[in-house]
Amino acid sequence: GGKWSEPIASSYMVRSANYMKKKKKIESGKMLFRLVHTEIVKSRKGCISSASQTPGTWYSNHKELIPGDSFLLVLNLQLRSLATNVISYHLMDDDHHAKELKSGNPSARLLRKLLSPDTRDVWRDSRIKMIPRIIEAPFVVRMAVSSRPVIIGRKVSCKYHMSGKYAEIKCNLDSSSVAAAAIKLAHKWSTKIVCELVWLLEGQNIKELPEQLLAGIRLDRI
């Protein structure tokens, strides 16, 4: 049961070009990546560590269909206490990325740094921001889950796999006791929850602003 879709980017407020001076936020422009698939993977062997190296995932079954001139961003949320992964796949064609870079888009420049094999994970840990949003849920879940933006690498353990035009961000959500408790509660009520998760790179100076959403998913009573 349940279904997935892509959130509306403009419904999220992000840092504006003058945020450092005036703390003003604006509606995000459209997401840099488009959502192509989301899957919930449950395994008796426990969480899978990599979508690209595990037989049976959507990626391993469809990689030949992914255009050669496109980037694939994979967000792999590991719920180890439930032996479950929530994996979403987001695509951006190379031409679109080149146009965004040429236009001077600060988020496109930050994205290039994120994807570079020369970038240290400590930088990625300090920049990848996730915004959770509860759309529908029982009151007890709403009280337990914050909708504040969070630098995910400072809260949970994240690992990164960057290979050519494939990038996978793997987050072990159980590595945070707060997140683990919220997940267990949400799992109990999962068929009554509609939530969204969006991702962006935090702009920390004027050259890196305004921000723009990278990717997002909406999970409807999964």
Side-chain angles (χ1 to χ4, degrees):
K3 58 186 179 181
W4 53 266
S5 59
E6 188 168 78
I8 298 168
S10 61
S11 71
Y12 285 85
M13 303 299 286
V14 298
R15 293 180 174 187
S16 68
N18 63 3
Y19 180 83
M20 305 316 290
K21 286 184 177 179
K22 298 187 176 180
K23 301 298 181 190
K24 184 185 175 187
K25 289 192 172 183
I26 55 170
E27 293 179 359
S28 174
K30 66 179 184 178
M31 295 189 195
L32 287 174
F33 289 83
R34 62 182 174 87
L35 178 65
V36 290
H37 191 73
T38 300
E39 63 183 344
I40 312 293
V41 180
K42 297 184 180 183
S43 171
R44 291 179 182 175
K45 297 177 182 178
C47 271
I48 63 171
S49 62
S50 171
S52 67
Q53 296 166 9
T54 304
T57 62
W58 180 86
Y59 176 80
S60 62
N61 292 335
H62 295 84
K63 57 187 174 185
E64 289 82 10
L65 301 177
I66 296 169
D69 62 346
S70 59
F71 289 97
L72 185 68
L73 174 66
V74 181
L75 301 173
N76 180 353
L77 304 181
Q78 301 167 332
L79 316 176
R80 294 187 178 179
S81 57
L82 303 174
T84 299
N85 297 66
V86 178
I87 306 173
S88 56
Y89 301 87
H90 308 262
L91 205 62
M92 179 174 61
D93 66 72
D94 201 6
D95 186 49
H96 176 63
H97 188 229
K99 283 179 184 173
E100 293 285 4
L101 280 171
K102 201 171 181 180
S103 72
N105 183 332
S107 289
R109 286 200 303 270
L110 285 175
L111 175 62
R112 184 159 67 175
K113 184 166 183 177
L114 173 80
L115 298 173
S116 169
D118 298 326
T119 299
R120 296 174 63 200
D121 285 351
V122 66
W123 184 89
R124 296 183 175 114
D125 284 343
S126 71
R127 292 304 188 104
I128 299 172
K129 186 155 62 178
M130 184 184 81
I131 307 174
R133 177 184 284 175
I134 298 291
I135 309 297
E136 291 180 34
F139 179 74
V140 65
V141 176
R142 285 180 176 274
M143 293 300 291
V145 179
S146 169
S147 289
R148 286 195 302 270
V150 58
I151 300 294
I152 192 77
R154 291 181 183 158
K155 298 293 184 182
V156 302
S157 171
C158 295
K159 292 184 178 178
Y160 308 93
H161 175 65
M162 307 291 167
S163 175
K165 294 189 175 182
Y166 179 97
E168 184 171 353
I169 300 171
K170 300 172 272 192
C171 302
N172 172 14
L173 299 187
D174 289 316
S175 61
S176 157
S177 58
V178 174
I183 288 163
K184 285 177 183 174
L185 179 64
H187 178 250
K188 180 181 176 183
W189 298 97
S190 61
T191 57
K192 296 180 185 293
I193 293 173
V194 181
C195 66
E196 293 180 352
L197 299 172
V198 298
W199 305 73
L200 63 159
L201 294 169
E202 183 169 86
Q204 296 180 355
N205 60 60
I206 195 165
K207 291 181 180 178
E208 298 174 349
L209 295 168
E211 293 177 333
Q212 184 175 349
L213 297 188
L214 283 182
I217 55 171
R218 180 183 178 111
L219 301 173
D220 190 336
R221 300 176 178 86
I222 294 288

